[in-house]
Amino acid sequence: MKKRISDSPRLLIILLLALYGLLTTGVTLWVLHVSLEQSYNLNYEDLEDDLKTIAPYLELRMDQGDKDCFAYLELVSSVQHEEREYSYVVRDKEGEVIAPSFAAGRTLKMKKVKQLDKTGTCWLADVWGDRCFIIIHPFPTRPLELIGVYDYDYIFSDREETAKDFIMVLVLLFLLLLAVSWFWIIPVVERVLERKRLAENELNEARDLQQKAVTTVFPKNSFFDSHAVLRPAREVGGDIYRFGMQDGKFQYVIGDVSDKGTTAALLMFTISSFIHSRTRGEVPVCELMKELNYLICDNSEYEMLCTLFLGHIDPETLKMEYCNAGHTRTMVNGDFLDQDSQLLAGLDRDYPYHTQTVQLHHGDRLLLYTDGVTEARGADRSFFGEKRLQEWMNGLDPAISSEEACQSLLDTLAAFRGNALQNDDIAIIYIKIV
Amino acid sequence: MKTIIEEKNGVVVVSVQGELDTDTSAQFQRDIEPLMERKDTKVEMDLSKLEYMSSKALRILVAFQQAVMRNGGSFSITKVTDTVQEVFDMTGLSASFFRD
């Protein structure tokens, strides 16, 4: 059996929690990013514009002692809009270069992070391995003047503390969820899944039984071309059919047990076996129906009712004898067969079922079906109904095979349903008299 | 689907409205369950607002009828829509439901 992830709740929970972890971490980082920018704006203040103040940030080591001087960044090259290369130049108050050697081989690569209207441009830069904010602004006479440097770590540190606390809470929550899932939710889920598995097994067995109860080899000979389909709905239904040549006659039964599930499937199987063993051409169909009714009443502890339609067709005379116990109306060439209202089976042990007869002709087409066909519902909850069924039959090319006819009806029903689910079992028998 | 149970002059009138299909018939069964235990009850079914009845729901109605009769009561259907009447006719139940 194919292993699905939903079969392993523990793995599923771990995956879900991992997803939760990733999501919350992502959100945390995003919040941090936003708050960092806010923090930057709030904390901004001008640094003293002297080398002493700036030097620690830039790791400047100058020999000039207390001599008044400025550090400037001078544009070396503009690689692209977002990234520029600068080198340090230290000048005195008069603008004379004091330490040009300082710049040699020491360039900054800076990435623009934020534009501040008030102060110029803020950059996030790597200064020899340490990240820091550097504030520069264009100066009319000089290329660029360094006016402030902020330690990135310093600004980040208090946010980092908050983030650490937050992540700690997330981790604790994660562990709590894991513990709750592991010891409480998972066992419950496992029990539910186990029950579902058992129910599915039962369902599959019942479906299997239902499929075994119906005819799967369809008689095609010089007299008849027949085909049938059974489409169970979401549950195992009670639709059944069985037909074939027996004792020189074409005999068929179609029925619908008024329940679903294993019990209904068992009853269907019983009916099917009975028909298979008991159908004899010489027994009138009403007698057969009486026996079947008796059998179903005998199993009355199941409290099941069953609609049944039994028929014999003599291939020589094309006379059809039939007996209907509460079943849907059989159609012959687009017209409904005259069917007396007789009680459905399983209710009255001594019900006096009687046989009806009809003369068929070469080329006639018979359609037997269960109420899953006429009571199929469209998206607007309307029923497919007998009228549409009649229209379908009238529009059908009489030349097509019985198998194609069954498929055509299934397609028509599917088109009618649209997106709506199949609400009941569908069983169809199509018989062409050659 | 809605079931209304009223007692008038010693007659229990059960009105069923809406649709009785596979899904709603379980609810219907729960609604009428208390009545199935009662002795000597006269039950009248008003199905004049029942728009649809699946053949599956028939089983419950028949079981209800049988339980009421078994307990010495009487059961009849007084009003019915054409759609549901067709179901009764097709299944041969009209004779048993409309005995009066």
Side-chain angles (χ1 to χ4, degrees), chain A residues 256 303 341 371 375 377, chain B residues 19 52 55-56 59 62 89:
Chain A
D256 182 2
E303 290 190 334
S341 170
D371 59 5
E375 290 173 17
R377 300 193 104 156
Chain B
E19 295 186 350
Y52 167 68
S55 59
K56 277 59 178 181
R59 188 169 71 96
V62 168
D89 288 344

Side-chain angles (χ1 to χ4, degrees), chain A residues 26-41:
Chain A
V27 169
T28 312
L29 288 176
W30 182 73
V31 167
L32 265 176
H33 173 75
V34 171
S35 70
L36 189 64
E37 282 197 2
Q38 282 172 348
S39 162
Y40 174 76
N41 287 331

Side-chain angles (χ1 to χ4, degrees), chain A residues 289 292-293 296-297 304-308 325 343-347 353:
Chain A
M289 186 66 91
L292 258 178
N293 179 43
I296 299 166
C297 287
M304 298 256 176
L305 305 177
C306 184
T307 67
L308 284 170
L343 192 65
L344 71 178
L347 202 55
Y353 290 101

